[in-house]
Amino acid sequence: MNGSQPATDLTTVLAGDHRELDRLCTELELGQGSPENRRDLADHLIAVLVRHAVAEERFLDGDGDLAEAEDLMRRLEGTGPQEPRFERVLGGLIRAVRRHVRDEGARAVREVRASCPPERRAELGREVLEVRHSAATLPHPDLADRMPQADQLWPGPGFVDRARAALRRAAGSPG
C-alpha cells in the first residue's frame, strides 16, 4: 500500500471487514463462554459476514467463495447452541470465512485498488458505510454491552436473509 488510505476508501473498508471477520473467528475458536454467548458471537459473525458479502457483491464481480459460507450460515441459524451439530456447523463456517479472508479477500482488495481510481474508491467506500448505517437493524438484547447498536441484528430463523434484504434495501437494490 502506498501511503495510508482514507477510512472511507473501499479497500480500507473491505480490509477492515476482513480483520473483524478474522478477529471474530479467533474469538470463536477459543471456545470460551456459555453456549448462549457463543451463539451471540456466531450471530455477530454472521451479521458482519452478510454486510461484507453485500458490499463485495455490489462492487466486485463474483461471490463464489462465499457460497459455502452462505449455506453454513443458514444451517447455523436453525441450530440451537446446545445441539451437538452447532459446533460442527460453526467450525465449517469459521473455515469458510478464513478461506475467504485468506484467498479471496486480499485478491478483491488488490483488484479494487488496481481497477479503480482513488476518488472512486473513496466514493464507493462512503456508499458502503452509508448503506450499513442506514440499514434497519433490531438490537439483540444480549449484545448491547458487547458491540455497537449499528452492528446488532436480531438473530433467529431468516436472520441471514433479513440482514441481506435490509442492506440491499438501504442500498436501493432489489431485495
Side-chain angles (χ1 to χ4, degrees), residues 35-106:
E36 292 75 21
N37 287 342
R38 290 184 56 68
R39 172 85 237 182
D40 289 345
L41 191 56
D43 288 339
H44 183 59
L45 173 67
I46 290 170
V48 172
L49 185 58
V50 168
R51 77 176 194 197
H52 175 72
V54 168
E56 280 194 350
E57 78 186 12
R58 185 160 179 231
F59 301 110
L60 304 172
D61 291 331
D63 65 340
D65 70 325
L66 288 175
E68 179 188 6
E70 188 97 12
D71 177 58
L72 290 164
M73 287 187 292
R74 284 193 173 87
R75 286 177 42 206
L76 195 61
E77 70 184 17
T79 306
Q82 305 283 355
E83 293 179 54
R85 73 182 191 126
F86 176 82
E87 290 297 331
R88 188 174 60 250
V89 175
L90 179 58
L93 178 60
I94 290 169
R95 286 187 296 279
V97 169
R98 292 250 191 234
R99 268 193 307 279
H100 170 74
V101 169
R102 181 189 65 234
D103 300 338
E104 185 69 18

Side-chain angles (χ1 to χ4, degrees), residues 156-170:
F159 176 45
V160 172
D161 294 325
R162 287 193 321 273
R164 183 178 293 282
L167 287 163
R168 284 182 174 158
R169 275 192 308 277

Side-chain angles (χ1 to χ4, degrees), residues 15-34:
D17 286 354
H18 295 147
R19 284 188 303 276
E20 176 68 1
L21 289 165
D22 187 57
R23 184 192 68 74
L24 290 166
C25 286
T26 298
E27 191 171 341
L28 283 161
E29 287 169 333
L30 291 174
Q32 299 173 344
S34 70

